[in-house]
Amino acid sequence: MAKTTGTKSRKPATGRNKSGKKSSKKSRLLLWLAIIAVILAVPAGIGLSRFLQQNKKNIAHKTVLYVRPGTDFAALMDSLERHLTDIKSFVKVANREQLPSRIHPGRYVLDSLATNIQVVRNLKYGYQSPLMLPLSGRIRHAKNLAARLGKRMMADSAEFMETFKDNTLLKELGTDTANILSLILPDSYEFYWTVTPREFLERMKKEYDKFWTEERLQKAKKIGLSQKDVSILASIVYGESNHVPEYPKIASVYHNRLKKGWKLCADPTVIYATGDFTITRVLKRHLETDSPYNTYKVYGLPPGPIMAPTKDCIDGVLNEESTDFMFFCASPKFNGTHRFARNEREHFANAKAYRQALDSLTKAKAARAKE
């Protein structure tokens, strides 16, 4: 009975030991899981923090940032920090991306939706925002063009002008200093702010070649003019009028004079020869200007265009009307149109009507001024 009782008394003790071992193992497992969770949570937390920093929208308002070559990070921040809503987060992202040693010059448009990482990588890799460059109006000299470009692009006007005088480059592009404006077709073009003067001219040459389709080349051949001649004549037509529908008729007058061996006697060339573009009425003293561009004194076309010819004017020359007109003068209606004549008698009558209308207008203005 004693043995039986002793045997029964040991069973409960054995059960408690097994339960203690299981509990100990479970505790150690939970501890290791907790340690692993902490270990994983640290990088996850860091990763989340970086993600939030990188994707933080950090531009207060839309702005344009210009970065010149050689700009260091301190100078960059001087220009940028007033546009940031959180400078610290931007600097952290910039440093992680190694931006301070890899700043790329350019023009960058930053808007309120831009995140830190977008701004940093744009600056790091030079993902610029292109600008629309309008080349319009009367571009009379390469110097005028250089001045315009110097105000809009990274290179200054002196750099552009130096390139515009580069005879080697101009020869490669099939032109020269007298005819460089032939390459400039007034329009709006998309450029990067950092474009070099050489790249600008090369782009203009591509646009010029694209414009001169086979159809246009054949039209020039048909009327007996080279591309250069067409551009020069178109520049004179442009100098005479802004009324596009009349371009083909005005072109026919000058081409008729060329074919008959007459002097062109074009007032816009006289103004170009004097260099005084404020002249509104060509007088006898202006006609005495000694210049190869004064078509009252020299025969044929001038050495080059007197301004950058528009596409409409070039097409006006290529599609000139078949007329026997030899003269034209401004209409007395002062509506931008002209009256055309076949001979001097008709022309003098048209000119007289214009002068009388002009005198009447002048007198009317004077009378109103006295009132």
Side-chain angles (χ1 to χ4, degrees):
M1 291 296 292
K3 289 182 180 179
T4 303
T5 304
T7 302
K8 287 181 179 179
S9 65
R10 285 195 297 270
K11 285 181 180 179
T14 302
R16 285 196 299 270
N17 289 339
K18 286 182 178 180
S19 176
K21 288 180 180 179
K22 288 181 180 179
S23 177
S24 177
K25 287 181 179 179
K26 186 176 181 181
S27 297
R28 285 196 297 271
L29 178 60
L30 292 174
L31 176 61
W32 279 110
L33 289 174
I35 293 172
I36 292 171
V38 171
I39 292 173
L40 294 176
V42 172
I46 294 173
L48 177 61
S49 176
R50 288 186 175 184
F51 176 82
L52 293 175
Q53 287 172 358
Q54 289 180 346
N55 291 279
K56 180 179 179 63
K57 294 176 182 178
N58 203 5
I59 302 298
H61 49 79
K62 186 175 181 179
T63 187
V64 180
L65 181 69
Y66 291 91
V67 181
R68 290 192 167 275
T71 298
D72 60 19
F73 191 63
L76 175 67
M77 290 306 299
D78 282 343
S79 300
L80 185 59
E81 62 184 9
R82 66 180 179 274
H83 305 295
L84 297 172
T85 59
D86 183 356
I87 297 173
K88 289 183 179 180
S89 68
F90 179 83
V91 172
K92 287 180 180 179
V93 175
N95 286 329
R96 282 200 299 269
E97 290 287 319
Q98 300 179 332
L99 176 62
S101 62
R102 300 181 65 178
I103 298 171
H104 199 290
R107 172 185 177 273
Y108 303 92
V109 176
L110 311 177
D111 61 39
S112 57
L113 297 178
T115 62
N116 279 329
I117 194 65
Q118 289 173 333
V119 175
V120 167
R121 288 182 177 172
N122 284 349
L123 293 166
K124 178 181 177 180
Y125 297 111
Y127 298 148
Q128 298 185 61
S129 307
L131 57 81
M132 191 59 68
L133 178 67
L135 297 177
S136 57
R138 282 166 163 70
I139 305 173
R140 300 180 186 276
H141 287 288
K143 187 176 181 181
N144 300 143
L145 178 60
R148 288 195 193 188
L149 295 172
K151 292 178 181 178
R152 297 293 307 277
M153 317 304 276
M154 185 175 73
D156 61 25
S157 59
E159 292 175 90
F160 276 103
M161 200 61 220
E162 183 180 357
T163 302
F164 293 164
K165 293 179 180 179
D166 185 343
N167 291 317
T168 301
L169 172 60
L170 295 182
K171 187 175 181 180
E172 290 176 14
L173 299 177
T175 189
D176 52 38
T177 53
N179 287 277
I180 188 172
L181 290 185
S182 295
L183 297 182
I184 312 301
L185 298 175
D187 208 333
S188 290
Y189 299 95
E190 195 174 76
F191 279 101
Y192 286 116
W193 178 66
T194 53
V195 69
T196 66
R198 181 187 181 98
E199 290 169 341
F200 170 80
L201 275 186
E202 289 173 342
R203 166 73 183 284
M204 290 294 94
K205 170 62 173 173
K206 287 181 181 179
E207 296 293 337
Y208 175 84
D209 290 340
K210 188 192 302 183
F211 173 80
W212 276 97
T213 60
E214 184 60 33
E215 181 183 3
R216 288 189 172 95
L217 290 171
Q218 288 302 317
K219 286 181 178 180
K221 184 177 181 181
K222 185 177 179 180
I223 61 177
L225 295 175
S226 66
Q227 288 176 249
K228 171 185 170 182
D229 292 341
V230 170
S231 292
I232 295 172
L233 185 51
S235 74
I236 297 174
V237 172
Y238 189 32
E240 290 284 10
S241 176
N242 288 321
H243 191 51
V244 176
E246 280 191 346
Y247 288 166
K249 191 175 290 186
I250 295 174
S252 76
V253 171
Y254 283 125
H255 202 187
N256 287 342
R257 291 180 184 179
L258 284 174
K259 287 184 285 189
K260 287 196 173 186
W262 289 19
K263 293 175 184 176
L264 291 183
C265 297
D267 287 358
T269 67
V270 177
I271 294 172
Y272 183 88
T274 64
D276 182 2
F277 300 110
T278 64
I279 295 173
T280 57
R281 194 170 183 178
V282 174
L283 304 176
K284 186 175 181 180
R285 60 186 172 83
H286 299 134
L287 302 182
E288 299 303 317
T289 304
D290 187 18
S291 168
Y293 286 88
N294 183 355
T295 57
Y296 275 84
K297 298 190 73 173
V298 299
Y299 287 90
L301 293 168
I306 58 173
M307 63 184 74
T310 66
K311 297 174 184 178
D312 285 335
C313 280
I314 292 174
D315 281 335
V317 172
L318 293 175
N319 297 287
E320 63 178 30
E321 293 184 16
S322 178
T323 74
D324 55 358
F325 292 131
M326 301 300 293
F327 304 92
F328 66 94
C329 74
S331 168
K333 294 181 180 180
F334 303 108
N335 59 2
T337 63
H338 295 80
R339 288 185 175 180
F340 295 82
R342 295 171 179 80
N343 52 56
E344 289 186 341
R345 179 180 58 78
E346 293 177 356
H347 178 58
F348 289 154
N350 290 337
K352 182 179 180 180
Y354 175 75
R355 284 195 300 271
Q356 289 175 341
L358 186 61
D359 289 341
S360 296
L361 183 64
T362 303
K363 289 178 182 178
K365 287 182 177 180
R368 285 195 297 271
K370 291 181 179 179
E371 294 176 356

